[in-house]
Amino acid sequence: MDINNIINKIVLPESPQWAFVLGSGVDVFNNLQEVVKYNFTDLFGIKPTVSGHSGTLTFGYLKSGSPLIAVLKGRYHVYEGHSLDIVTLPLKVLHALKLKKLVLTNAAGGIDSSFTPADLMLITSYFDCITPNPKGLLNIIKNPPEKYHSNLLSLALALTKKYPNLKQGSYAAVLGPSYETTAEVQMLKMQGASAVGMSTVPELKYALANDIDALALSVITNVWGVQTEMGGHKEVLEVSKIASKQLELFLTELIKLS
Ligand code: HPA
């Protein structure tokens, strides 16, 4: 995939300062001004296959005079059969456009039993069970989760007092696409995971390695062990939509503060 060919299709008034990757059902920043909008399929030549991910890249302003932001509705996943090169392709394009700040969001299952559906969780550390590892899965899991540091994470942590539903914890990125068995959830819990999902970590690693100030957060759509049953992808989409109101308030404040 030639990045220059993709960039040539994008016409913008200036470089985007911020990008927001929206996970399943996450629905924020729908009222941007001076919008320039592209389809993932037209831009990257690959159709996203997950329902609830429309696959659009929209640029616009929250209001006049504010920084240009990019909103990516949807992403490519390894479980769709894509390589990590494709999973990070939209970010490579944004990086070439001189993106400064990135917020990655996802829908995740809560493992910490103090969480409730529609909570938001700032990801402060992660387990990467998506990127192939020659040492095998158990080697990854038995180590403590990987911490990361960024300006955006520090700013976001300072806001947790103000938003009661804004929690923090460690995110286990697993391959999916099936949801976890009870035994898998128990194992992840024993290792210290607070939530589990199927994305985000490859993108977070790419951003941090390329000097993009990055923050990752989960919308907790279900809580394992507390609920008697998990309602599948439909429930994930419904709860994400509900949590999006709070998320938009928080993200708007984050933009103002930074
Ligand atoms: N597991 C993995 N991914 C998810 C979940 C879950 O419980 N909920 C939303 N995305």
Side-chain angles (χ1 to χ4, degrees):
M1 191 69 53
D2 184 5
I3 302 275
N4 285 327
N5 279 349
I6 301 172
I7 288 171
N8 286 339
K9 298 183 200 169
I10 301 176
V11 182
L12 296 175
E14 58 179 309
S15 288
Q17 295 293 304
W18 288 84
F20 300 87
V21 176
L22 309 187
S24 296
V26 178
D27 192 21
V28 293
F29 298 144
N30 272 316
N31 296 311
L32 298 182
Q33 298 176 8
E34 295 178 48
V35 159
V36 184
K37 191 170 176 176
Y38 302 93
N39 265 317
F40 275 23
T41 314
D42 298 338
L43 211 51
F44 306 119
I46 305 164
K47 195 173 167 7
T49 60
V50 185
S51 85
H53 285 263
S54 61
T56 53
L57 168 56
T58 306
F59 296 90
Y61 298 93
L62 284 180
K63 55 179 197 264
S64 75
S66 63
L68 183 66
I69 72 172
V71 178
L72 295 94
K73 286 199 173 162
R75 55 159 51 94
Y76 299 116
H77 302 84
V78 176
Y79 70 70
E80 292 173 273
H82 298 308
S83 64
L84 291 172
D85 237 18
I86 297 295
V87 169
T88 52
L89 177 62
L91 294 188
K92 286 182 194 144
V93 169
L94 288 167
H95 181 50
L97 292 170
K98 305 200 173 4
L99 177 77
K100 299 277 182 308
K101 294 169 191 179
L102 171 70
V103 179
L104 297 159
T105 71
N106 60 50
I111 291 180
D112 181 330
S113 51
S114 73
F115 290 171
T116 47
D119 273 350
L120 304 173
M121 183 190 89
L122 296 174
I123 297 175
T124 55
S125 60
Y126 57 82
F127 294 97
D128 182 2
C129 310
I130 289 183
T131 306
N133 185 304
K135 292 186 177 161
L137 192 58
L138 272 182
N139 256 294
I140 305 162
I141 301 269
K142 76 172 193 237
N143 290 319
E146 193 81 32
K147 289 199 170 95
Y148 75 99
H149 301 282
S150 71
N151 289 335
L152 278 184
L153 177 60
S154 306
L155 265 182
L157 285 168
L159 287 176
T160 49
K161 286 189 202 81
K162 197 164 163 190
Y163 295 86
N165 289 338
L166 185 60
K167 312 282 170 69
Q168 51 181 290
S170 78
Y171 174 82
V174 299
L175 194 53
S178 49
Y179 295 112
E180 296 66 42
T181 63
T182 307
E184 285 166 339
V185 171
Q186 273 169 2
M187 176 189 69
L188 292 170
K189 185 173 192 146
M190 267 167 28
Q191 300 309 319
S194 323
V196 55
M198 307 171 195
S199 67
T200 305
V201 168
E203 295 140 283
L204 180 62
K205 283 177 154 180
Y206 172 83
L208 296 171
N210 286 283
D211 272 339
I212 299 173
D213 191 5
L215 168 70
L217 65 87
S218 295
V219 175
I220 303 296
T221 55
N222 51 290
V223 182
W224 290 105
V226 173
Q227 283 163 260
T228 47
E229 238 174 77
M230 196 243 178
H233 193 58
K234 187 166 169 280
E235 176 187 73
V236 168
L237 295 183
E238 283 165 7
V239 179
S240 277
K241 204 165 169 54
I242 294 166
S244 294
K245 291 200 178 76
Q246 174 94 342
L247 178 61
E248 185 161 329
L249 289 177
F250 162 70
L251 293 176
T252 308
E253 181 154 9
L254 193 69
I255 295 173
K256 270 197 210 127
L257 278 179
S258 80

